[in-house]
Amino acid sequence: MKKPDVVRIVGTERPDGLALRTAGLNEHGLPELSADGLPPYLGQGWARVLGEAARVFAATHDYPMELTLVPDVTVRLWPDQNGGIMLLPPEDYVGGLDAWRRHVVLRLFPEARV
């Protein structure tokens, strides 16, 4: 399976928050990745998170249950109703979904603190 050269991140604003997903993994036999219900202020950061997750996911040769994006940032992969995969906190994460999403952005992109 050839790794994708270009993966786009597309988004939609919904009443419950932003819905982001990748576009381009499917063409290479991989499911698309997604994150739904994002607060608007995390949209740009999570577009970057999805891009990094797509890069790591495309480099794997199987379908793991979790991806390690950096040594202390792991995301759980969970099938969605559309045949894609949602990025969720690891099973042992204690805290809310939005807090975890902020944590992921700040760990991957520390410059976001500024």
Side-chain angles (χ1 to χ4, degrees), residues 26-37:
N26 235 351
E27 298 166 11
H28 297 278
L30 297 168
E32 302 295 346
L33 304 177
S34 67
D36 290 338

Side-chain angles (χ1 to χ4, degrees), residues 56-98:
V56 173
F57 184 61
T60 64
H61 298 291
D62 58 2
Y63 295 113
M65 296 297 292
E66 292 185 334
L67 290 177
T68 300
L69 303 181
V70 295
D72 63 342
V73 175
T74 302
V75 296
R76 183 168 40 124
L77 304 177
W78 191 260
D80 69 19
Q81 68 271 16
N82 302 316
I85 296 178
M86 294 184 293
L87 273 59
L88 297 173
E91 291 223 33
D92 61 351
Y93 179 78
V94 177
L97 182 59
D98 286 346

Side-chain angles (χ1 to χ4, degrees), residues 10-21 34-47 101:
V10 296
T12 304
E13 189 172 353
R14 296 186 178 154
D16 65 340
L18 299 175
L20 300 178
R21 68 175 178 81
S34 67
D36 290 338
L38 290 160
Y41 70 91
L42 289 176
Q44 185 175 15
W46 262 80
R101 288 174 166 168

